[in-house]
Amino acid sequence: MQNNRALIKAGILHPMTKRRTRTTKRTRKKASGRAGHGRSLFKLLFFYGLCIALVAVGLWMLYLDQIVREKFEGKKWALPARVYARPLELYEGLSVTPNLLERELGALGYRWVDSVTKPGQASRHSAGEYTRYQIYTRGFNFWDGQDRPQNFEVLLGPVGVARLTLDARELPLVRLEPEQIGGIYPAQKEDRLLVQLKDLPPLLGETLLAVEDKNFINHWGVSPVAIARAAWVNVRSGRVVQGGSTLTQQLVKNFYLTQERSLTRKAQEAAMSVLLELHYSKAEILETYINEVFLGQSGARAIHGFGLAAQHYFQLPVSELDAPKVALLVGLVKGASYYNPWRNPERARKRRNLVLDVMHREGLINKAQLSRAQAASLGVVKAGSRSQTTYPAFVDLVKRQLARDYKPEDLQSDGLRIFTTLSPMVQRQAEEAMSKRLTTLERDYKTEQLQGAMVVTSVGAAEVLAVVGDRNPRYAGFNRALDAKRPVGSLMKPLVYLAALEQPARYHLGSIISDAPVTVQSDDGELWQPQNYSRQSHGDVPLLQALVRSYNQATARLGMQVGLDKVAHTLKRAGFDGRVPPVPAMTLGAIEMSPIEVAGIYHTLAAEGTYTPLRVIRDVLTATGEPLKRYPLTIEQRFSEAAAFQLQYAMQAVLREGTGRAVYHRFPADLPLAGKTGTTNDQRDSWFAGFSGEHLAVSWVGRDDNSPMPLTGSGGALKVWADLMSELPTLGVNLEPPESVNFDWVDASSGMLSAEGCEDALWLPMVTRYAPTQAVDCRLQQQKQERSWWQRFWN
């Protein structure tokens, strides 16, 4: 203060300075207080904000943790139901040709080698009229247990399998693994074939890590070093040429997240990757990635995982992949569409060779292996040969039966394993027979737009072996075998004769019926006047001749004599569930049926009067192999053995001397076959249904617009049937009559007994109890009578 006064007196300091100084200090003190208060408030807000942020991050991490664990530990994928054909079972005496066996092995992806050392390999050596095959099966988990891989030998001779051996020990039976023929896919159309790490060739896992994430074993889900390296490379290149994502991050992105590109999604990806690494082992993460990664597209179906990709591109199990195939699949991880080996083979080759270079650099293959692998072809199967469904018409039938027993979500997500009755060998033969014959018919008859359908079953077991729904067998649209309901024409006639033969006291094959013109007036006054195909009448004829020659007038008269209600009932007993119009025209086939319905009815005729519903499914297993449902064989004898045998005899005569006699230009004379042709009005439909003792096939040829064709049943459908059956090893129809039936000579003009060598004498089966008792006077033949086809069989 004294100093200030002195300074004032000296005129250096203004008198008000003191006051101002005091005021300034006071102001500074107030300002300092306000600033301190602001800083404290800021610190407080910052603290609370940080706490809230940490809580939010914690809650977010807990939420992400729940998502990560819930899906990873639960049902990871919606697995499609897989549909399998029946396996080829080899046993001594099986009728199979080298061509059919080799085609079966080819469809399963077996590789032909000089020396068999691994599963999936086969060799062939000819020795005169015999062919020796060495086959190393892959093994398979069947409905009745696990079949382990077997390296066995099969010797094929002129009549089929002559011997089966394993290490010089004879085997009773060996079955190959079944062919997968289709699937029932989830709504998003994702497909995968789950594999475990132990199933993978070590080269695949090591190559995948070397190319996609070299530091996978050491990082915790994210790799800062990899991110920095990728950023540096991208900056230098001026564009994105390298990613910094770890394999774990790739899995998170594909497994949990969308393909959105944003910092938020990237942060979420990193957080979930760390959480994934905290909870699960590297092996679990790698195995999930191997089954999740997208590796291609097959139509609408997405190919996920290396297990399915190996089948899709190479038709091989993943365990059988060699170095160049491993490199191609690993290369596809970077961009399955961009490196598609079918659309961009050169691009795919460069990518594969680049991966091979990495494999060599990491010491996974040596220099010689590198050179061979880079010089190898891509090795992929023919483009389009691995469709979503190999046999769409048959799989369509399978799906319809499954729909009666299972919910759609069970079929689309539970990974059921469905074993069917389809025989790939028979299916391929049926497809070729239909496609090639329709092309030939169009050329020979100068016509076009022919379509066809076929159903093939086993006789007795009633298993559907093949279904063809279109002349293009891979067409998955309208399935004519199941949905094309057309008038069956003369295919109905055997049911009329069966209804008569079921009354043995009134009818046998030698009974006389009239083939005179028929006129029936309906309730509305319209006249029904059927005519024979030849427009001629034949007077009185035996039942056998009327059926063999397919006389319309005689059949209509017989049906009305027996009773239309009895004929309709016979058709129902044979297995037809549809509507039967109660009119006389029904006897001549004015009933619409699909080929599958005809097959069901004719199977009853082929099985000697025994009704068995047609079967397409054998067993259904869960994804882990537990039995879920069986489809047992049900059998019911609906017609007498005597009536069925007589009808089969007549249907054999159809092919020996009737409307189907042209068939024996293709078959050996000592092979007994039976069948019936069918032609509808204006030749709009060409039908044939025929059977051996082992196979039944129904074929139809026509046009989708129902316009007339220049083809009868024998001129069209019969030829398709013969093309198929002539290629199938099969057994003849049973010739042994039941105990109640005996053969005798019957006079064709009176139906009474006759004798060998007499004019018009027919050698016919009949129920012994109701055989004719009267005989005609024998008029000897002018020339020595040739033995009947039946007598030639027995002699």
Side-chain angles (χ1 to χ4, degrees), residues 367-609:
K367 184 65 175 177
Q369 291 172 321
L370 173 66
S371 299
R372 287 196 300 270
Q374 290 187 333
S377 68
L378 292 177
V380 294
V381 297
K382 184 179 178 183
S385 62
R386 304 301 298 169
S387 61
Q388 181 171 332
T389 300
T390 311
Y391 308 113
F394 183 90
V395 173
D396 185 15
L397 180 58
V398 173
K399 289 180 179 179
R400 296 188 192 196
Q401 181 162 341
L402 288 170
R404 298 197 297 263
D405 302 323
Y406 297 93
K407 298 177 182 178
E409 54 268 27
D410 296 334
L411 297 172
Q412 294 175 351
S413 64
D414 286 353
L416 301 183
R417 302 170 66 219
I418 300 155
F419 294 91
T420 73
T421 61
L422 179 126
S423 167
M425 180 174 67
V426 178
Q427 178 72 34
R428 286 189 288 269
Q429 293 296 133
E431 291 173 355
E432 289 184 9
M434 181 63 68
S435 180
K436 291 181 179 179
R437 178 55 65 176
L438 292 188
T439 300
T440 301
L441 291 172
E442 288 179 337
R443 182 195 64 207
D444 293 347
Y445 288 92
K446 295 181 174 55
T447 189
E448 57 185 13
Q449 295 182 334
L450 294 182
Q451 266 295 353
M454 181 181 285
V455 176
V456 187
T457 77
S458 61
V459 172
E463 294 187 333
V464 179
L465 305 179
V467 178
V468 180
D470 190 281
R471 65 185 297 172
N472 173 10
R474 300 296 161 262
Y475 176 67
F478 182 59
N479 190 343
R480 293 165 187 81
L482 309 185
D483 298 323
K485 292 184 177 290
R486 307 290 286 252
V488 296
S490 296
L491 292 190
M492 178 62 194
K493 290 176 181 174
L495 281 303
V496 177
Y497 290 83
L498 179 59
L501 294 171
E502 278 276 282
Q503 304 176 43
R506 294 181 59 192
Y507 299 102
H508 56 78
L509 290 179
S511 298
I512 303 302
I513 57 175
S514 172
D515 186 50
V518 176
T519 299
V520 177
Q521 186 173 1
S522 64
D523 293 340
D524 58 6
E526 290 190 12
L527 298 181
W528 181 64
Q529 297 176 307
Q531 292 183 309
N532 292 327
Y533 183 76
S534 65
R535 300 292 191 270
Q536 295 179 346
S537 300
H538 304 90
D540 290 343
V541 296
L543 259 70
L544 178 71
Q545 182 180 338
L547 179 57
V548 169
R549 304 296 180 186
S550 200
Y551 294 158
N552 291 334
Q553 296 172 169
T555 302
R557 285 181 175 275
L558 178 63
M560 289 186 287
Q561 289 175 11
V562 171
L564 297 180
D565 57 338
K566 288 186 173 59
V567 173
H569 185 54
T570 299
L571 183 59
K572 293 286 188 180
R573 289 165 63 199
F576 183 59
D577 292 329
R579 178 179 176 273
V580 181
V583 295
M586 168 262 292
T587 62
L588 302 183
I591 303 173
E592 293 186 344
M593 298 185 200
S594 63
I596 191 73
E597 290 176 318
V598 174
I601 295 164
Y602 266 73
H603 179 267
T604 303
L605 307 185
E608 301 173 359

Side-chain angles (χ1 to χ4, degrees), residues 61-281:
M61 292 294 287
L62 287 173
Y63 168 72
L64 294 181
D65 187 71
Q66 182 182 359
I67 293 176
V68 166
R69 298 179 65 176
E70 187 176 280
K71 185 169 183 180
F72 205 88
E73 295 173 5
K75 187 176 179 180
K76 294 181 180 178
W77 298 286
L79 298 177
R82 302 201 176 277
V83 183
Y84 295 95
R86 72 178 191 175
L88 176 62
E89 297 179 334
L90 299 172
Y91 52 87
E92 188 174 329
L94 173 68
S95 296
V96 63
T97 64
N99 177 56
L100 292 177
L101 176 59
E102 290 174 19
R103 291 188 66 178
E104 191 85 3
L105 292 172
L108 293 172
Y110 277 72
R111 288 158 291 151
W112 295 101
V113 296
D114 294 330
S115 179
V116 174
T117 59
K118 298 178 181 178
Q121 294 181 343
S123 65
R124 174 185 55 237
H125 303 283
S126 297
E129 61 180 358
Y130 289 89
T131 306
R132 179 177 288 103
Y133 294 90
Q134 192 76 28
I135 303 171
Y136 204 147
T137 65
R138 298 186 176 104
F140 192 82
N141 188 16
F142 287 96
W143 56 89
D144 56 356
Q146 177 77 40
D147 277 11
R148 297 196 171 278
Q150 293 189 85
N151 188 359
F152 70 98
E153 183 180 281
V154 56
L155 187 67
L156 289 191
V159 294
V161 177
R163 189 171 65 247
L164 282 173
T165 56
L166 174 62
D167 298 329
R169 174 174 54 89
E170 290 197 4
L171 296 173
L173 181 142
V174 177
R175 56 185 173 184
L176 303 179
E177 59 271 25
E179 179 183 348
Q180 184 182 330
I181 60 174
I184 303 172
Y185 300 99
Q188 63 270 32
K189 297 295 183 182
E190 284 189 7
D191 193 10
R192 53 180 50 80
L193 186 60
L194 298 185
V195 295
Q196 296 178 312
L197 288 182
K198 64 182 180 64
D199 300 325
L200 297 176
L203 186 61
L204 193 153
E206 293 172 352
T207 301
L208 177 64
L209 295 183
V211 173
E212 291 297 319
D213 191 353
K214 191 174 180 180
N215 198 37
F216 175 73
I217 300 301
N218 300 314
H219 64 62
W220 284 86
V222 293
S223 176
V225 174
I227 294 172
R229 182 176 58 246
W232 174 246
V233 172
N234 294 338
V235 167
R236 292 184 61 186
S237 302
R239 59 191 179 91
V240 178
V241 296
Q242 191 177 109
S245 295
T246 65
L247 187 146
T248 309
Q249 287 177 275
Q250 293 180 41
L251 174 60
V252 167
K253 180 178 66 175
N254 296 330
F255 198 53
Y256 296 100
L257 305 176
T258 67
Q259 298 300 314
E260 175 195 356
R261 292 174 176 266
S262 68
L263 290 176
T264 303
R265 194 203 63 78
K266 198 67 178 176
Q268 187 175 356
E269 175 189 299
M272 295 177 78
S273 298
V274 173
L275 291 169
L276 201 63
E277 294 271 357
L278 285 173
H279 288 300
Y280 307 104
S281 68

